[in-house]
Amino acid sequence: MDTPRLEALVGAAVFVGMCCAPAAAHRPYFSQPEAISAEGYSTVELKLLHGDGVLFADPIRAVVVGQDGELLAASPQSPALQLSCDDAMGQCLVYDELAFTIYEPAADKWQARGLVEQDGEPQRFPEDIEADFGFDARRATLSEIVRFEAAGLASSWMTTVFALAWWTAFCLLLLTVGRDAFGKARRLTIRAIVSLLARTAAALMMIPLATYAWLLAPYSVVYLAVVMTAGAAVALPIAFRRREVATQ
């Protein structure tokens, strides 16, 4: 997987500055090129074509490119595609982690539809490709979902660590706010009230930042469930330990 999730999360932290600054457009680019074989074709590559989402996630299409740079196939557009090839099985699959859909190149449906690459550089944006063709689409099986999601977690481990820390902090804030607001009656001092309000505000601020990060680099509900559950699991013993220390 080649989705820049870490950059998206860091970018969300400077959300206000990005809104005030002019948008910086970029040219389309390829990622994860894989040579594939098909009867009747000498040199063919399957790769991901990224466009320019400006303020939000870049649109992506999986494309099959012939030896002269012609477009032979294009998957439906999505902001969250993963490409994986199994050399042993001679099979390449494209996974849409938002729709839980698998796209598999179907050589019998390929058609040459204009130039998409020249000298290794893309000549079209994903948005410029008018139709989806050349792929068989189906729902991903449970084993495929597990395999692709696990690969995504492993390949973007720095992002996963960042996300785990983020949701641990979020859950810890919620747990301590709930404990202090709805727990056993305690003396409310100005310091305690200010601390409670500050933690509540911090937790509330994390929600729009996380939402904007998702808009920059969307990920599946499976990924979100994993990091949120892990964050809660880490935060729970910390919150209870603090409670025990506070009551001693």
Side-chain angles (χ1 to χ4, degrees):
M1 184 183 65
D2 198 33
T3 304
R5 288 177 176 163
L6 182 59
E7 290 82 353
L9 291 170
V10 174
V14 291
F15 168 64
V16 175
M18 291 182 65
C19 288
C20 298
H26 62 73
R27 290 178 53 81
Y29 64 95
F30 290 124
S31 69
Q32 296 184 255
E34 294 283 352
I36 59 177
S37 59
E39 186 176 352
Y41 296 90
S42 55
T43 303
V44 178
E45 276 194 329
L46 172 64
K47 57 185 76 177
L48 299 181
L49 173 62
H50 300 253
D52 184 9
V54 188
L55 292 178
F56 301 106
D58 290 344
I60 310 171
R61 286 186 192 268
V63 294
V64 177
V65 182
Q67 62 178 350
D68 296 321
E70 69 274 20
L71 177 66
L72 299 177
S75 75
Q77 189 171 286
S78 170
L81 293 180
Q82 297 183 41
L83 193 161
S84 177
C85 292
D86 188 330
D87 295 333
M89 298 181 63
Q91 181 187 53
C92 286
L93 301 177
V94 178
Y95 173 63
D96 185 338
E97 61 182 280
L98 299 183
F100 300 111
T101 300
I102 292 290
Y103 301 111
E104 188 170 0
D108 58 325
K109 299 179 181 179
W110 292 353
Q111 303 173 24
R113 296 194 181 181
L115 190 71
V116 72
E117 178 181 346
Q118 188 171 32
D119 299 327
E121 296 295 328
Q123 301 300 306
R124 299 160 72 176
F125 283 90
E127 307 92 308
D128 297 334
I129 300 174
E130 298 178 354
D132 314 325
F133 65 99
F135 284 86
D136 287 331
R138 59 176 173 81
R139 294 288 293 179
T141 64
L142 180 59
S143 63
E144 288 171 335
I145 292 174
V146 171
R147 176 164 62 89
F148 275 99
E149 294 292 344
L153 285 166
S155 64
S156 57
W157 65 270
M158 290 182 63
T159 303
T160 301
V161 170
F162 187 95
L164 177 59
W166 180 276
W167 290 113
T168 298
F170 178 76
C171 292
L172 191 57
L173 285 170
L174 288 185
L175 288 169
T176 55
V177 166
R179 180 196 66 199
D180 293 346
F182 304 106
K184 293 181 179 180
R186 55 183 295 183
R187 184 181 177 184
L188 290 179
T189 63
I190 294 178
R191 179 179 178 181
I193 294 174
V194 170
S195 175
L196 182 64
L197 292 175
R199 282 176 283 147
T200 302
L204 291 176
M205 280 297 297
M206 293 180 77
I207 296 175
L209 289 174
T211 301
Y212 185 65
W214 186 88
L215 292 173
L216 284 174
Y219 43 81
S220 72
V221 294
V222 175
Y223 183 93
L224 179 61
V226 169
V227 293
M228 286 193 70
T229 301
V234 173
L236 273 170
I238 297 175
F240 279 112
R241 189 179 303 115
R242 286 186 176 180
R243 181 178 181 179
E244 292 174 358
V245 171
T247 55
Q248 290 177 356

